Amino acid sequence: LQITVLGTPAEEQGGGKIDLIKAGAFDGLDVVFMAHPSQENAAYLPDVAEHDVAVKYYGKASHAAAYPWEGVNALDAAVLAYNNLSVLRQQMKPTWRVHGVIKNGGVKPNIIPSYTELEFYLRAPSMKDLSVLTEKVENCFKSAALATGCKVEIKGGENDYYNVLPNKSLQKVYKENGKKLGIEFISEDCILNGLSGSTDFGNVTFVVPGLHPYFYIGSDALNHTEQYTEAAGSQNAQFYALRTAKALAMTALDVIFKPSLLEEVREDFRQVKLKEEGQINPV
């Protein structure tokens, strides 16, 4: 019997867990647990697949007042790309997400911008859907270059994040243990009708059965805000974090001392992966 506590940095940039998968850090493990702070308690939320993309437009600088016709406006390309995506939203599935920023929009108002850069995140419930969405979005970027006469460079992120695979056996036991500690979980309807973010833990759940619950920290502030940062560092939040850790530890003990449960977990893992076959090739 071996219990591994594994630090997994760089989730937000690059997907550290994916590098760890490739390095064999998850080889030989039976189950993996991780918890994420949120506004509610849930044994599972539908974390979606994500593809990051950086787009660079190259035009030609010129004086914007004296001879603008000599320029090739890279900012026009960036604006058109942004607007193309806004038009695309009407034909996007409700579960798809596309959001991004213009990181570089030019230098000075009197100079036709010769270079612009955008960064976008694309999200969908499955890798199959994500590939469809990615093609549509890249066409929006390419058409903006064609319309303005710019050259375009489209570069995807080093690692795509897979959707988190659910494991009903682990979720059931975790909820039972959590309730013993006073955790109140949201309803199944809320889970089915809700969306969450994306995480490189999704890639892990394609190679090892995983549990990725969310937990309330005593604040209604929303994630990735200054208010949530303050709430997460408060003394009040420590109670909720420790309570979640206890529920995970109790679940781990159940897996260790109940061989039949581990087999159920493995069977769930096999069945869910079977449904995903044909959509992606696991790392």
Side-chain angles (χ1 to χ4, degrees), residues 180-248:
K180 293 175 184 176
L181 297 172
I183 298 177
E184 297 181 2
F185 293 93
I186 60 174
S187 68
E188 291 298 318
D189 287 341
C190 290
I191 293 173
L192 293 174
N193 296 325
L195 283 175
S196 188
S198 305
T199 170
D200 52 3
F201 189 85
N203 301 62
V204 178
T205 64
F206 275 81
V207 295
V208 186
L211 177 66
H212 187 269
Y214 282 81
F215 65 97
Y216 175 68
I217 64 168
S219 171
D220 294 327
L222 299 177
N223 290 61
H224 292 226
T225 64
E226 291 181 8
Q227 294 80 8
Y228 202 82
T229 299
E230 183 178 346
S234 70
Q235 187 61 39
N236 187 42
Q238 306 313 305
F239 164 79
Y240 298 100
L242 289 171
R243 184 173 67 171
T244 299
K246 289 177 183 177
L248 287 174

Side-chain angles (χ1 to χ4, degrees), residues 66-79:
Y67 27 84
W69 52 86
E70 295 291 341
V72 178
N73 198 316
L75 179 57
D76 283 348
V79 171

Side-chain angles (χ1 to χ4, degrees), residues 79-96:
V79 171
L80 280 177
Y82 197 97
N83 287 333
N84 286 345
L85 293 174
S86 296
V87 172
L88 175 64
R89 294 184 197 282
Q90 186 180 9
Q91 273 69 53
M92 282 170 48
K93 293 182 180 180
T95 52
W96 291 359

Side-chain angles (χ1 to χ4, degrees), residues 17 30 82 127 136 152 158 185 191 193 254 269:
K17 296 182 188 65
D30 293 301
Y82 197 97
M127 291 301 293
K136 291 178 180 292
V152 62
E158 186 175 345
F185 293 93
I191 293 173
N193 296 325
D254 285 328
F269 175 67

Side-chain angles (χ1 to χ4, degrees), residues 2-268:
Q2 180 176 328
I3 297 173
T4 301
V5 179
L6 182 63
T8 56
E11 176 187 10
E12 296 289 342
Q13 292 291 332
K17 296 182 188 65
I18 302 169
D19 293 332
L20 287 169
I21 291 171
K22 295 174 182 177
F26 296 95
D27 294 351
L29 299 184
D30 293 301
V31 293
V32 288
F33 294 166
M34 173 182 167
H36 195 293
S38 182
Q39 292 78 46
E40 65 273 307
N41 294 297
Y44 167 80
L45 286 178
D47 285 291
V48 296
E50 178 187 342
H51 174 71
D52 299 351
V53 59
V55 183
K56 299 178 180 180
Y57 289 107
Y58 299 93
K60 179 185 176 184
S62 182
H63 196 289
Y67 27 84
W69 52 86
E70 295 291 341
V72 178
N73 198 316
L75 179 57
D76 283 348
V79 171
L80 280 177
Y82 197 97
N83 287 333
N84 286 345
L85 293 174
S86 296
V87 172
L88 175 64
R89 294 184 197 282
Q90 186 180 9
Q91 273 69 53
M92 282 170 48
K93 293 182 180 180
T95 52
W96 291 359
R97 296 288 185 272
V98 175
H99 43 95
V101 295
I102 299 176
K103 293 183 67 176
N104 188 320
V107 180
K108 288 181 68 67
N110 65 336
I111 302 174
I112 298 292
S114 62
Y115 173 78
T116 54
E117 182 179 354
L118 304 91
E119 185 175 0
F120 271 81
Y121 291 174
L122 321 181
R123 306 182 199 248
S126 67
M127 291 301 293
K128 182 179 181 181
D129 259 14
L130 186 60
S131 65
V132 174
L133 176 60
T134 298
E135 182 179 2
K136 291 178 180 292
V137 168
E138 288 187 351
N139 285 336
C140 289
F141 294 137
K142 292 174 183 176
S143 62
L146 180 63
T148 57
C150 291
K151 295 180 180 179
V152 62
E153 178 184 309
I154 302 172
K155 185 177 181 181
E158 186 175 345
N159 295 310
D160 285 345
Y161 289 8
Y162 296 175
N163 48 299
V164 173
L165 298 183
N167 192 289
K168 291 186 176 180
S169 295
L170 283 177
Q171 291 161 207
K172 179 175 179 290
V173 175
Y174 173 77
K175 286 182 70 173
E176 290 172 352
N177 288 323
K179 288 176 180 177
K180 293 175 184 176
L181 297 172
I183 298 177
E184 297 181 2
F185 293 93
I186 60 174
S187 68
E188 291 298 318
D189 287 341
C190 290
I191 293 173
L192 293 174
N193 296 325
L195 283 175
S196 188
S198 305
T199 170
D200 52 3
F201 189 85
N203 301 62
V204 178
T205 64
F206 275 81
V207 295
V208 186
L211 177 66
H212 187 269
Y214 282 81
F215 65 97
Y216 175 68
I217 64 168
S219 171
D220 294 327
L222 299 177
N223 290 61
H224 292 226
T225 64
E226 291 181 8
Q227 294 80 8
Y228 202 82
T229 299
E230 183 178 346
S234 70
Q235 187 61 39
N236 187 42
Q238 306 313 305
F239 164 79
Y240 298 100
L242 289 171
R243 184 173 67 171
T244 299
K246 289 177 183 177
L248 287 174
M250 291 164 68
T251 305
L253 290 172
D254 285 328
V255 172
I256 292 169
F257 292 109
K258 298 176 181 177
S260 60
L261 172 59
L262 180 55
E263 189 48 49
E264 290 173 13
V265 169
R266 287 170 172 165
E267 182 59 26
D268 283 351

